[in-house]
Amino acid sequence: MADIIKLQAEDDQMVEVPRNVAVFSGTVKDMLADFGDEDAAVPLPNVKGNVLAKAMEFAKYHVENPAPESEETDGEKKVEKHADLLPWDKEFIEAVDQDMLFNLMLAANYLNIKALLDVCAKCVAGKIKGKDAAGIREVFGLEKVFTDEQEKELRAQVSRRGRGRDGF
């Protein structure tokens, strides 16, 4: 069993991490179980090298500093839910630019790293909390899709439907 796992990103960049860090990713853990303990690199075609390295930095920290756990429920340990980000997670996610944030979110989903996906989602939620559509467009640099007249008509249609079975 190899102690160091080589992860190969889509741009052929290699990221080498200890096994316990690599298997923090459910995807990598499953790939290692399926393909055995070969010395060959684990191909991760949906993640760029710089993003993979950042995700593994997150994994390494959380392997070395596990979140506090609550009591066992039905034989499973439950990690306590934190409304706010832990200090290290907050510092980690605030240090990345918006492009890296969204790439990390995609990578966390592909790599099946729930803790990283949660941190990214909380960061995005914090950026848009309390903002109207114009404020959200400004935060993410998005152009307005509808004219004021089209937007007014859409709002009227939604208002006429009410919040019934269509979810509006």
Side-chain angles (χ1 to χ4, degrees):
M1 186 182 321
D3 291 334
I4 300 293
I5 303 297
K6 297 174 191 167
L7 306 174
Q8 183 177 6
E10 73 177 16
D11 54 8
D12 291 328
Q13 182 176 333
M14 298 296 254
V15 177
E16 295 184 6
V17 292
R19 171 175 288 285
N20 62 338
V21 172
V23 299
F24 193 77
S25 160
T27 301
V28 172
K29 182 178 181 179
D30 290 345
M31 291 174 98
L32 289 171
D34 289 345
F35 300 122
D37 266 342
E38 300 175 14
D39 285 332
V42 176
L44 298 169
N46 296 339
V47 185
K48 292 181 181 164
N50 64 330
V51 178
L52 181 58
K54 199 73 175 162
M56 289 298 107
E57 176 187 338
F58 180 90
K60 181 178 187 291
Y61 177 82
H62 283 275
V63 165
E64 294 173 353
N65 303 282
E69 296 177 350
S70 64
E71 70 281 349
E72 291 189 22
T73 306
D74 296 331
E76 291 184 21
K77 290 183 179 178
K78 277 181 96 172
V79 175
E80 290 184 24
K81 299 262 184 197
H82 295 278
D84 296 321
L85 295 176
L86 298 172
W88 187 92
D89 291 344
K90 184 175 181 177
E91 186 178 313
F92 173 86
I93 206 67
E94 286 178 351
V96 301
D97 62 23
Q98 189 164 292
D99 187 48
M100 177 61 84
L101 172 63
F102 286 108
N103 282 313
L104 271 174
M105 189 175 253
L106 292 171
N109 186 50
Y110 171 71
L111 294 169
N112 192 11
I113 303 176
K114 185 180 180 325
L116 178 56
L117 186 57
D118 289 348
V119 167
C120 292
K122 285 179 183 180
C123 181
V124 170
K127 288 177 182 259
I128 64 174
K129 184 177 182 181
K131 295 193 176 8
D132 62 3
I136 293 170
R137 282 194 302 271
E138 183 180 327
V139 167
F140 298 119
L142 303 173
E143 293 182 21
K144 190 171 182 178
V145 176
F146 300 109
T147 65
D148 289 339
E149 187 175 298
Q150 290 170 321
E151 192 173 317
K152 185 177 178 181
E153 177 60 27
L154 285 169
R155 288 184 189 280
Q157 287 175 7
V158 169
S159 162
R160 284 193 299 268
R161 273 189 214 150
R163 293 193 177 263
R165 60 178 166 45
D166 292 331
F168 291 104

